[in-house]
Amino acid sequence: MEHLVRNCFRTGGYVFAKKADNIARGHVISRIARLASNENPEPPSSAVIESGSNALRQANRYPDERVEILISALKKHYGDYAFVTGVGMDGVIETLIRTLVDPGEKVVISTPTFSFYALAAAAQGATVVSVPRNTDFSVDPRTMVAAGRDAKVMVLCSPNNPTGNATPVHVVEEILKAINGILFLDCAYVEFSDIDYLPLLKKYKNLVIGRTFSKVHSLAGLRIGYAFVPAWLQPYYIRAGTPFTVNSVSAVAAATALEDRDHAARYIAQVRRWRKRFAGEVKYPVMPSDANFVLVDVSPRTGDAMVADLAERGVIVRSCRSFSGLDDHYIRVSIGEDWENERFISMINSL
Ligand SMILES: *Cc1c(COP(=O)(O)O)cnc(C)c1O
């Protein structure tokens, strides 16, 4: 019966880090260092757990379709912007592409980068065009504009997953000025950088900035993301989305987490401390990072071989082989708790 499945889903798909997990389970009896998914290692705060539990008591009712509790928390935190929400930022990306892109229209992606943009665009029947970054992983605005002037959507991740570097505001602005479509700026890791793109929203009506509760806010398991959108786009996004997208537990937990500035600040400080230590103490070249992970060049080994060797030693990191446009000698390592980071440094330096 498989012939009934659409072509775009016959092969490929998102790559999860499960294999390394199984290797580690087979070798390590005590705890495993989980540094593959860029999560905050600290569990949600007790205030978040309490508000989420209370919401669960009323889960027999459909959630508020306007996600008012979260939207008003976002406005209180950031100011009076237009917001949309989704099931993770992945859900926001999928709905945004569904809102904007007809089959055959062009989606331009700056690569190597997060794989889900191309998957979501292809599922919508878009023509996906990849624009390679420079060799130092910086973005050349001229090649982006040349490829994407006529694109419906252009996607730029900053700080970029998996390379870790952020794109300066003036480069983003140069692109925004020159294109006719929407620029989707994925800011999943912006809390770990010193960059602020929000002022651009006042000036450009074709900018969407995606954010998530999965990383700094410790809520990856609740699947909740959001975006700053131009006001004109918001009603169309809502029309294109599934009804009752964001569940009531996630909405209230996220609203509570947003107010817990100490929780976020603790992990941001941890990240800043350990980015320096990784750069100074790992014997392989570590790329400069503005995110809560680093890209490590493990040549002459391959990323896959290094991931397997580290997994045997109780450290799970991400091979970058599945990131198209990146050579197969990189791993991506999240910044976790002290003992996890320490074990990673001592294990990789023994290999
Ligand atoms: C983690 C991540 C996301 C998606 O996060 P959600 O868990 O779906 O909110 C989006 N973009 C990038 C670059 C990411 O690394």
Side-chain angles (χ1 to χ4, degrees):
M1 297 303 284
E2 287 79 355
H3 67 281
L4 296 175
V5 174
R6 288 174 63 203
N7 245 327
C8 58
F9 298 126
R10 297 273 179 91
T11 56
Y14 192 82
V15 178
F16 299 92
K18 274 286 168 262
K19 210 163 117 205
D21 217 277
N22 292 337
I23 298 175
R25 275 183 226 276
H27 280 81
V28 178
I29 335 114
S30 62
R31 7 180 230 181
I32 294 167
R34 297 188 183 280
L35 304 178
S37 301
N38 304 339
E39 298 138 333
N40 184 333
E42 197 181 324
S45 70
S46 51
V48 170
I49 291 168
E50 195 184 321
S51 68
S53 310
N54 285 335
L56 188 55
R57 287 178 215 286
Q58 292 159 53
N60 55 314
R61 302 295 178 192
Y62 276 102
D64 167 20
E65 74 280 7
R66 293 164 306 135
V67 209
E68 181 60 34
I69 191 157
L70 178 55
I71 300 280
S72 60
L74 288 166
K75 290 191 174 185
K76 192 170 149 217
H77 193 85
Y78 291 111
D80 195 21
Y81 295 94
F83 292 99
V84 297
T85 55
V87 179
M89 197 204 303
D90 293 343
V92 173
I93 292 164
E94 191 193 40
T95 302
L96 187 71
I97 289 176
R98 186 137 42 101
T99 309
L100 298 168
V101 181
D102 267 324
E105 289 188 319
K106 195 156 134 188
V107 173
V108 168
I109 299 172
S110 168
T111 57
T113 196
F114 190 55
S115 64
F116 186 65
Y117 317 127
L119 297 171
Q124 202 54 37
T127 302
V128 178
V129 176
S130 298
V131 177
R133 287 169 173 255
N134 299 323
T135 46
D136 64 355
F137 302 128
S138 62
V139 170
D140 176 7
R142 276 154 310 197
T143 52
M144 283 292 276
V145 169
R149 208 185 296 276
D150 59 339
K152 200 56 163 308
V153 176
M154 185 177 272
V155 184
L156 183 61
C157 185
S158 181
N160 186 40
N161 180 359
T163 59
N165 58 315
T167 300
V169 176
H170 71 89
V171 173
V172 172
E173 184 158 15
E174 204 176 320
I175 294 170
L176 274 171
K177 266 188 198 151
I179 59 173
N180 297 303
I182 292 279
L183 176 67
F184 179 74
L185 191 62
D186 182 330
C187 285
Y189 301 100
V190 78
E191 293 91 343
F192 306 107
S193 78
D194 296 316
I195 291 203
D196 181 10
Y197 298 106
L198 297 186
L200 292 174
L201 289 162
K202 296 250 173 346
K203 235 166 123 185
Y204 297 95
K205 298 300 162 216
N206 59 343
L207 173 63
V208 174
I209 297 181
R211 302 279 292 259
T212 179
F213 283 90
S214 297
K215 310 282 160 55
V216 75
H217 294 295
S218 291
L219 293 177
L222 289 190
R223 313 302 307 121
I224 184 146
Y226 62 101
F228 297 78
V229 294
W232 65 265
L233 180 57
Q234 187 193 40
Y236 300 104
Y237 175 100
I238 289 166
R239 194 177 289 166
T242 50
F244 306 112
T245 316
V246 170
N247 73 70
S248 46
V249 175
S250 297
V252 71
T256 312
L258 197 59
E259 284 316 300
D260 197 347
R261 291 174 196 259
D262 289 349
H263 184 99
R266 261 196 309 281
Y267 183 47
I268 291 167
Q270 170 83 345
V271 165
R272 290 180 180 273
R273 214 164 30 242
W274 278 95
R275 276 198 307 231
K276 284 205 199 89
R277 287 197 55 183
F278 279 7
E281 296 175 34
V282 171
K283 75 176 188 189
Y284 296 90
V286 173
M287 307 300 126
S289 172
D290 299 294
N292 67 335
F293 57 83
V294 293
L295 185 72
V296 183
D297 179 349
V298 296
S299 52
R301 290 164 165 272
T302 66
D304 282 3
M306 184 59 98
V307 166
D309 286 344
L310 286 171
E312 284 185 13
R313 290 158 179 79
V315 183
I316 304 198
V317 302
R318 173 77 193 246
S319 167
C320 292
R321 188 165 59 91
S322 64
F323 288 92
S324 106
L326 194 62
D327 294 336
D328 184 25
H329 53 80
Y330 290 100
I331 58 170
R332 191 194 67 196
V333 186
S334 315
I335 290 165
E337 292 182 55
D338 289 345
W339 72 269
E340 296 179 295
N341 306 333
E342 272 155 16
R343 189 194 287 174
F344 163 69
I345 292 178
S346 75
M347 292 306 164
I348 193 168
N349 284 349
S350 76
L351 289 165

